Amino acid sequence: MASSIQRAALKRIYMAFKEAGIEFASNAVTVRSNDQADAVAAIASAQPVAAPAA
């Protein structure tokens, strides 16, 4: 579990990155293929997105 000091430090880092125009990578995955079998295999191997904890 992150301490309040860690949370404050990360918040400052994220804000500094945003001000500097630095973006974090997305977790999105793009698969491009002309082969239908490749597309089906990619979809089948995808990890389901976990629902946020309530």
Side-chain angles (χ1 to χ4, degrees):
M1 181 169 13
S3 71
S4 61
I5 295 171
Q6 288 173 316
R7 285 191 295 272
L10 281 175
K11 184 176 180 180
R12 288 181 181 182
I13 291 169
Y14 289 144
M15 289 173 54
F17 277 20
K18 185 175 181 178
E19 290 173 3
I22 299 171
E23 296 180 4
F24 288 94
S26 166
N27 64 348
V29 176
T30 302
V31 177
R32 295 183 182 162
S33 175
N34 292 329
D35 185 2
Q36 185 69 21
D38 287 343
V40 171
I43 292 169
S45 67
Q47 298 285 333
V49 176

